Amino acid sequence: MTFTGLYVPLITPFDRSGGVALDALDALANRALDDGARGLVVLGTTGEPSSLTPAEQQAVLDVAARVCRARHAPLVVGANTSATLQNLRGHAEVTAALTVVPPFVRPGQDGAVAYLTRLATDSPVPLIVYDIPYRTGQYLSAAALRRLADVPGIAGLKYAAGGINADTVDLFADLPDLAILGGDDTFISPLLALGAHGGILASAHIATTEFVRLIDAWHAGDVAVARALGGRLARLSAALFAEPNPTVIKAVLHAQGHIPTPDVRLPLLPAHPDSTTAALTAAEHPLATPHT
């Protein structure tokens, strides 16, 4: 399985002049890999790509590509159209594109599968399909996801169904030949227990090493360690997602001195101080090592 372990979907830090803080982005990328992340994701939802100019998007991609090239780490890039996928051609560091199920249009399951099949056919890199129906408005059943698993050029699934439902159980009871990466941070531990291969987790900007340990523990069958980690990290994720992503994560990273400002761009608004305080408290709570 090519895509396993922890992938950190990087925020886009801004400096005090409002521009992209590229040095801070470089440091965040290296810190995530230093702390055990398998790879990085840029220009996903957490990176606020819709509020970046084309030049800023290219600068973010260039920084991440340089880091991943130097570190021999896989890089996944958010790209949702034929044009943006073609822009990835020639970037050897890019191992896949994170491609969302077509949002807003609600084309039906057959339409979504046909659209993603066409994108995969034309894409210069494999796709990781991002299934997040509470954002896109388009639900995909386990049967539809299995159809996508049979499409050449679709290598993975970022699964963010909003919880554990009947289709989740159906999907994991008979896993398709597809890398399944949990995308609901709060539910990552039960998804790993069911058989997920890893996660693309914005919460892993904070406590990166513990998220790595969580994935490794479930894969090793170390249930006691995994349960203890999973409970603590679920609380942390809930605190980090108390307001629209990535507002609280940015506020915490700024408070910890990792980025120059906590700024986001409209339509996002800065996190409330109470949310930041709650998330910092969750991040600093000591984790007892369970006896095994």
Side-chain angles (χ1 to χ4, degrees):
M1 188 66 63
T2 303
F3 298 101
T4 61
L6 175 65
Y7 284 72
V8 177
L10 293 173
I11 62 143
T12 301
F14 299 123
D15 60 28
R16 290 177 178 81
S17 70
V20 177
L22 295 176
D23 288 346
L25 178 65
D26 183 289
L28 285 175
N30 275 292
R31 186 169 69 93
L33 296 174
D34 287 342
D35 288 346
R38 163 84 177 185
L40 304 175
V41 181
V42 292
L43 302 178
T45 306
T46 301
E48 302 174 73
S50 63
S51 69
L52 302 179
T53 68
E56 288 173 332
Q57 291 181 7
Q58 186 61 53
V60 166
L61 175 56
D62 289 345
V63 168
R66 183 177 68 247
V67 171
C68 287
R69 181 169 59 250
R71 302 294 298 270
H72 304 288
L75 175 63
V76 178
V77 179
N80 301 308
T81 66
S82 293
T84 54
L85 286 166
Q86 291 307 314
N87 288 339
L88 302 180
R89 193 176 297 278
H91 288 276
E93 303 83 6
V94 178
T95 53
L98 182 63
T99 304
V100 73
V101 171
F104 190 75
V105 180
R106 300 181 69 185
Q109 297 196 56
D110 289 344
V113 170
Y115 176 77
L116 292 164
T117 299
R118 172 65 64 85
L119 287 182
T121 300
D122 296 338
S123 176
V125 296
L127 303 187
I128 297 175
V129 172
Y130 188 6
D131 180 27
I132 183 165
Y134 55 89
R135 284 188 183 271
T136 66
Q138 178 60 66
Y139 185 80
L140 293 185
S141 65
L145 295 173
R146 287 197 178 92
R147 288 167 61 192
L148 288 171
D150 291 334
V151 175
I154 294 181
L157 170 69
K158 181 180 179 182
Y159 187 70
I164 308 293
N165 58 35
D167 269 308
T168 308
V169 175
D170 183 2
L171 179 67
F172 281 92
D174 184 16
L175 283 171
D177 185 18
L178 192 70
I180 299 180
L181 302 171
D184 277 319
D185 295 32
T186 307
F187 297 102
I188 186 58
S189 190
L191 287 174
L192 290 164
L194 286 170
H197 301 97
I200 298 176
L201 305 170
S203 300
H205 281 89
I206 318 298
T208 312
T209 56
E210 291 182 16
F211 279 99
V212 172
R213 284 181 61 208
L214 175 68
I215 294 170
D216 289 346
W218 277 119
H219 287 173
D222 195 342
V223 175
V225 169
R227 282 179 175 170
L229 280 166
R232 182 264 169 117
L233 293 175
R235 291 191 187 97
L236 172 60
S237 294
L240 292 170
F241 278 79
E243 297 188 39
N245 185 48
T247 58
V248 181
I249 291 173
K250 280 190 158 185
V252 170
L253 289 172
H254 174 62
Q256 293 177 336
H258 297 301
I259 57 177
T261 74
D263 295 351
V264 291
R265 289 181 177 173
L266 289 171
L268 295 174
L269 295 173
H272 191 279
D274 290 349
S275 298
T276 304
T277 299
L280 284 166
T281 299
E284 293 165 2
H285 188 276
L287 177 66
T289 301
H291 298 290
T292 58

